[in-house]
Amino acid sequence: MTWLACCTASRTTCVVSIRSVDDVAPPVDLTIAIGVLDNRDRMEFAIEKCTELGVRRIVLLDCHRSQRHNVRTERLQQKAEAAMIQSGRAWMPEFVGPINVHTCLETFPDATVIVGDQYGATPSSCTVPALILVGPEGGFAPDEQALIEARAPVIWRIGHHRLRTETAAIALTAAAVMA
């Protein structure tokens, strides 16, 4: 629900009048699972943009090749909240993790898994619930790739070259939201 209100204040009183109340549906069931990045600014940028695009959940993946394993989730939530307010979204994404790839896939057993690859297909329709997986710098380790491949992921091409983690997360999220 969103509320539009007007506040009038004087030295001794403050009056808030509600102008309208709108019932806002939750965002589509889209989860972005992103490998934890060593560079805090790049990680925060990805969280902000995915929030603006309207993901329902953000999963922080603690992968074998993640360089940083300690994450200040509270700070990322604050960044997401600021992005939510700035973009006029009524729903704050839920944060999960950091968790490993195996736990992530078990947590969302019914989700269509989407991954990006320069040899994938052009993004098309997105079946929800959807789980977008983006690895850390260096990509997923072979055992993580095997777990993902066992779920028969949808593979989308989001560029002709390898993308940085935060760019891939934003591009895949945008493609899923637009599909």
Side-chain angles (χ1 to χ4, degrees), residues 3 31 35 54 103:
W3 300 54
T31 301
T103 304

Side-chain angles (χ1 to χ4, degrees), residues 44-54 58 73-93 95:
E44 291 173 357
F45 183 76
I47 298 299
E48 289 171 350
K49 300 311 164 201
C50 290
T51 299
E52 290 174 21
L53 288 166
I58 298 171
T73 309
E74 307 81 34
R75 181 173 169 84
L76 294 177
Q77 289 172 334
Q78 290 171 350
K79 293 291 184 176
E81 182 178 0
M84 179 195 77
I85 292 167
Q86 168 65 30
S87 62
R89 294 225 168 252
W91 292 85
M92 173 80 167
F95 276 77

Side-chain angles (χ1 to χ4, degrees), residues 73-163:
T73 309
E74 307 81 34
R75 181 173 169 84
L76 294 177
Q77 289 172 334
Q78 290 171 350
K79 293 291 184 176
E81 182 178 0
M84 179 195 77
I85 292 167
Q86 168 65 30
S87 62
R89 294 225 168 252
W91 292 85
M92 173 80 167
E94 171 191 350
F95 276 77
V96 178
I99 59 176
N100 62 39
V101 172
H102 180 263
T103 304
C104 178
L105 293 170
E106 282 186 340
T107 302
F108 305 99
D110 299 326
T112 301
V113 175
I114 300 171
V115 295
D117 187 274
Q118 64 190 28
Y119 303 108
T122 301
S124 58
S125 64
C126 181
T127 305
V128 291
L131 171 64
I132 299 171
L133 292 174
V134 180
E137 293 105 339
F140 290 111
D143 62 325
E144 294 167 332
Q145 289 177 355
L147 290 170
I148 295 166
E149 288 171 11
R151 284 284 294 269
V154 174
I155 302 172
W156 282 352
R157 183 182 66 208
I158 51 173
H160 296 289
H161 303 282
R162 188 176 322 164
L163 300 176

